[in-house]
Each structure stands twice: as structure tokens, then as C-alpha cells.
Amino acid sequence: MGTLAIVISLLLLMFFAYRGVTVLILAPIMAALAVILSGDLAVLLPAYTQTFMTALGSYVVQFLPIFLLGALFGQLMADSGAAHAIARWIKEKLGTRHAILTVVLACAVLTYGGVSLFVVAFAVYPIAVALFRDADIPKRLIPASIALGSFTLTMTALPGTPSIQNAIPIPYFGTNVFAAPGLGLIAAAIMLLAGMAWLRGRAASAARAGEGYGEHDEPSAPQDEGDHPGMPLVLAVLPLLLVIGINALFTYGIFPHMDFSAMSERYAGLEPQRVTGLWSLIIALATACVVLIALRLKHWVSLRDSVNKGVFGFMLPLFNTASEVGYGAVIASLAGFIVIRDAVLQVAPHNPLISEAIAMGTLAGITGSSSGGMSIALATLGGDYLAMAQQAGISPELLHRVAVLASGSMDTLPHSGAIITLLSICRLTHRKSYGDIAAVTILMPVTALVTVIVLGTLFGSF
């Protein structure tokens, strides 16, 4: 009955999330339902105050700086005109002939540099409309093009990407955002090349059928300039380079040569190898924000408003994910979870990479969130996977990369908030565009994930 209670709770979580109910209220309600159905009514309130809230609070304490600085940086990139300058430059260089590639690369460059997925979607969409209309490519392919550049390789595969998905495994495995760089590059290449082949094939098929851009309810001449001040390309790119460069400098050049003994004495329980990856990312994002503000110091429309909007913007994503972590902690505390845990861990017991991939992908699919699903899985099973990997001689870096890739393999099911938002931005429906989105954000990432697991099993982490 305890296991059935968990299954019912998960299914309802997925159902109501698809209906648009916020997980801020949904997660604690579904956690409480699982407790009640398990017959543990006496521990209902302690499960909320001692388990749910403790797990939620721990997650907020650990990842608040990453969410905050990431949201602030994305807003500053948008309001400074840097995001538009980069997107326009790529458009000018590739032109209408390569409309799909232009949109994909514009999104990829911006998200790899640390700009929020949603900021990128808003910034690139007007440019995509102009390009696709001029090239007479169906508008229904715009969401998939944006998703390929934003929701795949730069979110989970490219080494050093500052995405929150790439940061979450760090404290669990003692790794950093550059984990398994060779395998990450291979996965990124598979996603990009296969995704582009799919989209180009779909565009060619539409052209043969005589389908053009189509008639859509939107301005006849969308502008990609917006209300943002102009910005030279070299200055627009500099903050993106700083995020990656400073992160790498501290990860490989500074922290490995530092003596943390005095710090460990002062802060009991501090394990530097488990936090230096987060420290590197915090320093990189903070530095990039300061430099970006300084570069445009006399050109901000309202720096105060940009900073406030960016800072306020981090709260909902952070607490959404933290609520899902709290939900996962309550589920893990129930007796019925032991059956589920043992079943998951026994999938390919001699290769925890397979079990880990299934757990991450399944929970990301259920929650409709790569960060939420991975956070639940790692909070409940992270220690088990690390122990299994050490026993099997598998590098924690490989464990990290597989976890991140798996979280981005099933997170874009129809109920995903990111997909709903993207379609809303593009003024399109699931019926018109979701099939192509699924192809580039599920089929291609799953292919890349399987490839990495096979290569990692045969050759180890590289």
C-alpha cells in the first residue's frame, strides 16, 4: 500500500502540473497525500515541518546564489542589448539561407554564456520570425529551433556550461561543471547534428509540399531591435567569455592549488572538493554581472529596474525546484519507497550509469523539470549511486555527466512548464509544434545519453 500511495501521488503531481497548478502548493499537498495514503497519518505534520521544509531549506541555502546570479546575469544581458547584438550578428553572418542554423546558434551561444532560457527565447523569437518569413520556412518549426539551441546541448552537455542543471550534481559527487568534457562534447555534437538534420529535413519536406511560412496573427514586420540600447559585439561577447573563462580558471588553476586546512578547521564538516565547483561558478557569474554593468554604465535605461527584475526573477524557479526536492524527501522517508529504491538500484546493478539515467529521466519526465527531477533523484539516491560507482570503479565525473544528460532527456514532455512557456512566446500550439520539439529535445538527447553511457562504460570518463 505504501508503494501504491507513492505512485498515486506521483501520477497526480504530473496530472496537476500539466494542468498548470504551481508546484509551490502542489508539492506539499501531494507529499501529504502520500503520507496519508501510506497510513502514516500520525507523522503528517512532522513530515511537513521536519522533512519537507528541512529539505526545501537546505536546497535553497545551497543553490540560491546560482539561481540569483544566473537570473540577474540573464536580465542584464537582455536589457543591455548584449543578447540582441549577438543574435543580430549571427543573423547577419549566416543570413536567411541558414535561417534554422542561425536561430539554433544564437540560442546556443547565449545559453552557453549563462543567459536564462526564457530570456533567450524572448530575445531570439523576433529574429526567428523575420528569418523564417523571408526564407518561407513554416513558423511551426521556430519553437523546435529555439528549443534545440536552448534546451539541449548547452543545458546538459557542453563542458563548463553554467546551467543550474550542470551545477546540481556538484555537492553530491564532488565534481565541477567541466565534468567528463570529452563525453560532453560528443553528446553535444550528436544533439546538434541530429537535431539540425531533423529540422532541415522537416523544412525540406514542407517546401516540397508547398507549405510556406503561413498566415499568423502577429505584426507584419517584427523588429529585432526592441527597446534595447545598441551594444558593440565585442562588448556583448565579453561577459559570456568571462563566465566560462573565470569558471575554468578557478576550477583548474586556483582552487586545486589552495590550502583549505585553515578553512576546514573554522567550518566543521566543510569538504572543499564538494563546494569548490559551486564557488567557481558563483565567482564567474558575479564577475560577469559587475563587468556587464560597468561596460554599459552610462547607457542603461534603468539599471535599478533591470537589477530588481533580475533578482526578483530567480525566486520562482528556485522555490519551484526546492519544493520538488522537499516532496522527494518526504517520499524517500516513507516505507514504501524502499521497494521503489531497491527496484531502481537493481536495474543493471553492475552498471549504475543505466540505473541513474532511468531514475533521472523518469523523475524529470514526471515533474516536467530537468532540475526538479534531478534534484529529487539525487537527494534520495545520490549517495547510493556514488557508492555503487566507487565500487564499480566508475568516475564521479562520468556519474555527473550521465545524471545531467539524463535529466534533460525526458523533461520536455507536453506538461513541461518550459514547453508551455516557449509555445506561448511563439504564439503556437502543442498540436502544431510539439512533435518537432519532442524530436529535438527527447529523441536526440536520449540518443546522446545512450552513446555516452556506452562510451563511458567501455573507456571510462574523458
Side-chain angles (χ1 to χ4, degrees):
M1 184 60 191
T3 303
L4 181 60
I6 293 173
V7 172
I8 292 173
S9 172
L10 282 171
L11 291 174
L12 289 174
L13 177 69
M14 181 168 62
F15 174 78
F16 285 111
Y18 177 74
R19 294 290 181 177
V21 179
T22 173
V23 295
L24 288 176
I25 189 67
L26 186 59
I29 291 176
M30 290 301 107
L33 178 64
V35 172
I36 294 170
L37 294 178
S38 297
D40 293 332
L41 188 58
V43 299
L44 179 60
L45 290 177
Y48 178 71
T49 58
Q50 307 306 118
T51 304
F52 184 94
M53 289 305 301
T54 298
L56 182 151
S58 296
Y59 187 89
V60 170
V61 168
Q62 199 161 56
F63 291 106
L64 185 148
I66 306 299
F67 276 88
L68 188 153
L69 290 170
L72 175 59
F73 180 66
Q75 192 64 49
L76 292 175
M77 283 291 292
D79 290 353
S80 67
H84 281 264
I86 293 170
R88 287 196 304 272
W89 181 82
I90 295 174
K91 170 189 171 183
E92 291 167 1
K93 292 300 178 182
L94 296 180
T96 302
R97 180 182 174 189
H98 301 287
I100 295 175
L101 181 61
T102 298
V103 173
V104 172
L105 289 183
C107 292
V109 168
L110 292 170
T111 49
Y112 187 50
V115 183
S116 162
L117 307 177
F118 301 113
V119 170
V120 170
F122 276 110
V124 173
Y125 170 67
I127 295 174
V129 168
L131 285 169
F132 276 54
R133 177 185 280 116
D134 291 344
D136 208 25
I137 298 172
K139 183 186 177 183
R140 59 183 173 81
L141 295 178
I142 288 180
S145 301
I146 293 175
L148 177 59
S150 303
F151 297 0
T152 59
L153 63 152
T154 57
M155 187 177 80
T156 62
L158 286 179
T161 180
S163 69
I164 187 61
Q165 291 81 2
N166 200 29
I168 288 173
I170 291 174
Y172 296 99
F173 300 146
T175 49
N176 58 64
V177 292
F178 293 92
L183 290 169
L185 287 172
I186 291 172
I190 291 172
M191 287 188 243
L192 177 60
L193 296 176
M196 282 301 305
W198 174 275
L199 291 174
R200 282 175 171 166
R202 295 285 286 167
S205 177
R208 288 192 297 270
E211 179 186 358
Y213 179 79
E215 297 294 329
H216 300 279
D217 182 19
E218 60 192 8
S220 58
Q223 301 296 312
D224 58 36
E225 298 293 332
D227 297 324
H228 308 288
M231 189 173 190
L233 179 66
V234 64
L235 297 184
V237 173
L238 179 60
L240 305 184
L241 297 178
L242 286 175
V243 172
I244 305 300
I246 293 176
N247 194 348
L249 174 65
F250 277 87
T251 297
Y252 293 112
I254 296 179
F255 285 143
H257 300 96
M258 286 184 63
D259 181 6
F260 292 99
S261 55
M263 194 180 297
S264 298
E265 290 176 4
R266 182 171 181 180
Y267 295 95
L270 175 67
E271 298 180 62
Q273 71 274 16
R274 290 185 176 272
V275 293
T276 52
L278 291 176
W279 291 350
S280 299
L281 189 52
I282 289 170
I283 293 170
L285 286 170
T287 303
C289 287
V290 172
V291 169
L292 185 52
I293 290 173
L295 288 174
R296 305 295 287 168
L297 196 56
K298 296 182 180 180
H299 301 279
W300 292 99
V301 175
S302 176
L303 178 58
R304 181 194 62 190
D305 290 344
S306 295
V307 171
N308 286 346
K309 188 175 181 181
V311 171
F312 294 153
F314 91 95
M315 295 182 185
L316 185 58
L318 172 61
F319 280 94
N320 276 342
T321 307
S323 292
E324 291 170 338
V325 172
Y327 168 82
V330 173
I331 295 300
S333 70
L334 301 177
F337 181 73
I338 296 174
V339 177
I340 297 175
R341 182 198 64 193
D342 292 345
V344 171
L345 294 177
Q346 286 305 309
V347 175
H350 300 296
N351 190 346
L353 298 177
I354 297 175
S355 171
E356 180 188 45
I358 292 174
M360 303 293 164
T362 300
L363 285 170
I366 289 172
T367 60
S369 166
S370 53
S371 58
M374 180 165 49
S375 296
I376 293 174
L378 289 178
T380 54
L381 298 171
D384 294 311
Y385 284 128
L386 183 58
M388 292 171 66
Q390 291 171 339
Q391 186 175 2
I394 294 174
S395 166
E397 288 200 353
L398 180 55
L399 210 61
H400 175 125
R401 188 54 55 207
V402 168
V404 180
L405 287 170
S407 75
S409 64
M410 296 297 292
D411 62 320
T412 52
L413 294 177
H415 65 285
S416 167
I419 296 304
I420 293 170
T421 301
L422 175 60
L423 289 172
S424 175
I425 291 171
C426 296
R427 302 180 185 180
L428 290 166
T429 64
H430 280 76
R431 183 172 177 270
K432 289 184 177 180
S433 297
Y434 182 72
D436 294 302
I437 294 174
V440 300
T441 64
I442 297 178
L443 180 60
M444 310 315 173
V446 167
T447 302
L449 171 63
V450 171
T451 303
V452 166
I453 291 175
V454 171
L455 292 177
T457 301
L458 294 176
F459 304 108
S461 177
F462 60 88

